[in-house]
Amino acid sequence: MKYLLRNGKVEFSGDKKQLIQYIKETYPDEYWVREYGKLFETDFGKFKFAIETLGLELSDKMSNTEYNKTHRR
């Protein structure tokens, strides 16, 4: 599971294919998504660059704050 974070908060989570699909559907008008969108599956560097230009961060884990929100008792 991978997480797309914005300001430390989870915007979306899923596997690599789901993340790519989410970015393409949510940000289709963004320049780098239009330019590199067809290459995301084969060139992870272009995908990472595009999400960083959107102000997002890719992480293998959610932030502690987000984790605590979802795992409160």
Side-chain angles (χ1 to χ4, degrees):
M1 176 88 53
K2 302 269 187 204
Y3 300 91
L4 285 176
L5 306 175
R6 182 182 301 279
N7 299 324
K9 296 181 181 177
V10 175
E11 182 169 317
F12 185 79
S13 63
D15 63 26
K16 181 180 172 184
K17 187 174 182 175
Q18 291 169 326
L19 295 176
I20 291 170
Q21 191 64 33
Y22 172 78
I23 293 296
K24 286 180 176 181
E25 290 175 358
T26 308
Y27 302 100
D29 295 331
E30 294 293 328
Y31 177 78
W32 294 113
V33 175
R34 284 194 324 261
E35 286 294 307
Y36 292 153
K38 293 180 181 178
L39 303 173
F40 285 168
E41 287 85 5
T42 58
D43 190 339
F44 190 72
K46 290 196 181 346
F47 175 67
K48 190 170 181 196
F49 174 78
I51 62 170
E52 288 173 356
T53 63
L54 296 170
L56 297 167
E57 176 185 348
L58 186 62
S59 178
D60 290 332
K61 63 180 184 170
M62 67 174 74
S63 69
N64 289 335
T65 305
E66 286 291 305
Y67 179 83
N68 291 336
K69 286 181 188 177
T70 61
H71 289 86
R72 283 188 182 164
R73 293 181 185 195

